[in-house]
Amino acid sequence: MTDPNREGAVPHLAVIGAGPAGLAATVAAAALGVRVTLVDSAAEAGGQFYRRPAAGLRARRPQALHHQWRTWERLRDALEGHLRAGTVRHLTEHHVWFVERRAEPDRGFTVHALLGPEQEEPAEVRADAVLLATGGYEKVLPFPGWTLPGVITPGGAQAMLKGALAVSGRTAVVAGTGPLLLPVATGLAAAGVEVAALVDSADPKAFVRQSRALAAQPGKVVEGAGFAARLLRHRVRLLARHTIVEAHGSERLEAVTVAHLDGDGRVRPGSERRIPCDTLAVGHGMLPHTDLAETLGCRLDGLGVHVDAEQRTDVPGVWAAGETTGIGGNGLSLAEGHIAGRSAAARLCGTAPDPGAWAAAAKVRTRLRTFFAALDSVYAPPAHWTEQVTDDTVVCRCEEVTGGAVREAVAELGAGDPRTVKLLTRAGMGWCQGRMCGPAVAGLAGCELTPSRRPFARPVPLGVLARAGETDQQ
C-alpha cells in the first residue's frame, strides 16, 4: 500500500464494478481523500440495477422503469462531482480479466483489463488496494426446450426493457423462482406485453414459516405487495408451486407446459397445462461473481466472498461488497459498498476506521442479510428438478452436452463431481466456462455446487497474455 507518510503520496483505490456497491464505495472513499479509479465493463455507470436507455432513444420518463430512481440520482450526482474534482476516474468498457498482486518492494495491485466492445486492446491500472464489486449472475436450470429462441432469463428481459425499451415478444410467461420474477413480470405488463402467467415454484406456506424474518423488513413487504397489486391490475395469473416442464416450438418458442408441484417438490401427474406464448423469462435465482476474488486467493463462505465487519477479505488490501459476497439486492449492496469504501479509505490513509461513521449502514446490512437468508429458504428451486431433465435435454449449451451424457459419466464412468464430469464430457469447457451449466451439472451429478477456481475471469487473447506487463499504466 501507499506509505501515508511519503510526501505527496495520495492513496489509490481501484474499484471494480460500477453497480450499486461499486458506486457507493467509490463515492464514500473519494469523499475521504482517496484517489479512486472506477473500472467497469459497461459504457455507463449504474450496473444492471440502474441500467438506463441509451440517450439516442430519447426516453421521456426513464424513471418509470425503476423504483429507486432518487437513490440513483444521488449516486450519479456525487460521482459526477468527484469526476469534475479529479478525485475519481471512471474507466468505461474495461473488461477486467485478472487482478495481480505485485511483489515487494512495490506492492499493491495491477488490474488487467481488455478495452472496448471487442475486448481486444489491453489496459492496466495500478493501485494500492482493490475493492471488488463484481455483482452476480443468473442461475438457470435446464429443461426440455430451454434452448429455443424466445427463452431468456428474467434479467435478460429486464435489461432489454431498461436498456433498449424493447421486449422480446407479445405474450410472455415469467417463471422459475426468486424475488426478481415480480418486478420483471410487472415491468413487462406495464410495457404492453400480455403476461400469460407468473409461474413460481415457491410454496406460499414457506412465506408463513418465515413470517417473523420477513416482517422485520416492512419496507420490503410493502414493496412486494405493490408488485402483487400491479399484477392483479394487469390480470396476470399467479401459479404458485408450479414449474416449467417443457418449452415447445419448431423455429422458436410457441408454448410452454407447466405443472403443479407436490409437497416433495415433484411434478404432480396429470396437473400439466399448456400455455401459448412467444417469450419465456425463466430463472432460478442468482449466484455471486467470485472469479477475481478466487484468483486473488480470497476465502469464500459458501458461494460468496468471505468478508469481515469492514467488508475486508482475508487477503490484505482487498475489499469486497455487494452481491459478490452473497445475493441480497440493491439496498444491501449500497450498505456494503458504503462500509467498504470508508474502511478502505481509512486503512489506505493510515488512520483507524471509525465504525460509528458507518453504524447506520451496518444496521441496514445486518437486517437485510437476515431478510435475504429467509428469502433464500423460500425461493429454493424444486427439490427434484433433475427429474424433468431428459437424456436428450442439452445441459451445456456451449459444448452441446446432454443430460444423458452427464448421467452416463456419473453412473458408468464413476464421475462424482463436476470437474470429473467436465473432463469426461466437456461440460463446462466452453465460452462461459461452466457459469451457465455448472449448477445443472452439479445437480445431475448429485453433489453440491462449488465455485470453480479459474486462472482468469474471462477469455483472453493469447497475444494479450504475451504482452502482459508491457501495457501503458493508467
Side-chain angles (χ1 to χ4, degrees), residues 135-265:
Y137 62 100
E138 290 181 277
K139 177 171 69 174
V140 181
L141 301 175
F143 51 87
W146 76 300
T147 58
L148 279 170
V151 180
I152 58 179
T153 65
Q158 192 175 62
M160 289 176 62
L161 191 58
K162 287 183 175 181
L165 302 180
V167 295
S168 64
R170 296 182 177 180
T171 305
V173 169
V174 179
T177 191
L180 181 60
L181 301 187
L182 283 171
V184 169
T186 54
L188 290 175
V193 176
E194 179 189 350
V195 181
L198 173 57
V199 182
D200 196 329
S201 62
D203 186 347
K205 294 179 182 177
F207 287 93
V208 177
R209 290 193 291 269
Q210 297 292 339
S211 58
R212 179 176 296 180
L214 300 180
Q217 284 293 306
K220 289 291 183 182
V221 175
V222 170
E223 183 180 299
F227 285 128
R230 276 176 268 175
L231 291 177
L232 286 173
R233 189 161 61 247
H234 289 287
R235 298 181 180 179
V236 176
R237 283 186 296 171
L238 172 61
L239 300 178
R241 221 167 78 184
H242 279 67
T243 190
I244 299 291
V245 173
E246 186 174 358
H248 310 278
S250 51
E251 298 298 321
R252 62 167 288 120
L253 180 69
E254 299 171 3
V256 297
T257 295
V258 304
H260 190 262
L261 296 168
D262 64 18
D264 294 326

Side-chain angles (χ1 to χ4, degrees), residues 33-98:
V34 170
R35 182 164 58 97
V36 181
T37 298
L38 177 60
V39 187
D40 192 57
S41 60
E44 294 183 346
Q48 298 300 321
F49 189 84
Y50 294 123
R51 182 188 288 269
R52 301 166 312 288
L57 294 175
R58 298 181 180 178
R60 288 177 292 181
R61 292 192 313 114
Q63 65 271 24
L65 300 172
H66 297 264
H67 62 282
Q68 293 187 6
W69 188 255
R70 290 183 180 178
T71 302
W72 155 248
E73 289 181 322
R74 287 194 295 270
L75 286 171
R76 178 200 62 196
D77 293 346
L79 177 64
E80 289 177 352
H82 287 297
L83 290 172
R84 288 192 299 270
T87 51
V88 173
R89 287 186 308 157
H90 182 198
L91 303 182
T92 61
E93 296 188 325
H94 278 60
H95 306 262
V96 178
W97 57 271
F98 187 62

